[in-house]
Each structure stands twice: as structure tokens, then as C-alpha cells.
Amino acid sequence: MSAILVSVVRGFGQFYGLLIVIYVLMSWFPMRGVLYDVYRVIGTLVEPYLGLFRRIIPLIGAVDISPIVAYFVLQLIVDGVLMLLQGGL
């Protein structure tokens, strides 16, 4: 049971992190049609999480570094949960 839960948590962390990266990369390019729909769907999944960091971290010039911080915090959270699940601390 624990091995399955570890795999699920690790998989979720990797998938959600990938969604953040894809969302940021897609925001750099103009989109129409189906690509815009995909961008909106991904945005509905990641914007609530990214919004937490955007409220705290100011822009540096015109650069938004909050997705980078959000990605690394996600990895720290996933690693912490995995340590707890595996019984280590």
C-alpha cells in the first residue's frame, strides 16, 4: 500500500510540475483555436497554485519569477510527503 501511495504522490508531483512548465512556456507564444483552449484548461489547473506565489513575490522588472518559486516549493512539498510516507525524517 505504501509503495503505491509513494508512486501516486511522486507521479502527481511530476505531472503538476510539468503542467506548470507547459503553462509558462505556452504563455510566451500567441495562440488561437485548440491551443488556446488547452492553455485555458491548464491555466484553470495551475493558476490557483501560482496565484498564491504571485501575491507574495513581486515582479523583477517585467519578469515574473513566481512560477519558478512555485515549482521548487512543489518539489519540496512532494519530497517532504514522500519522506513521511517512507518513514524517514
Side-chain angles (χ1 to χ4, degrees):
M1 175 65 181
S2 178
I4 293 171
L5 194 54
V6 166
S7 294
V8 168
V9 169
R10 183 177 288 127
F12 171 78
Q14 290 173 345
F15 178 73
Y16 201 75
L18 182 62
L19 283 180
I20 292 171
V21 170
I22 290 170
Y23 183 68
V24 169
L25 291 175
M26 287 181 80
S27 72
W28 295 350
F29 302 100
M31 285 172 276
R32 289 184 297 248
V34 174
L35 279 180
Y36 181 71
D37 294 338
V38 170
Y39 177 73
R40 281 187 27 230
V41 168
I42 294 173
T44 60
L45 296 172
V46 300
E47 270 302 328
Y49 179 67
L50 292 178
L52 298 170
F53 295 91
R54 287 196 175 118
R55 281 179 274 195
I56 299 169
I57 302 169
L59 294 175
I60 298 176
V63 179
D64 181 13
I65 65 163
S66 60
I68 297 168
V69 175
Y71 179 85
F72 284 116
V73 168
L74 173 68
Q75 297 309 310
L76 288 173
I77 292 169
V78 169
D79 289 346
V81 170
L82 289 175
M83 281 190 354
L84 290 173
L85 289 174
Q86 294 170 343
L89 258 187

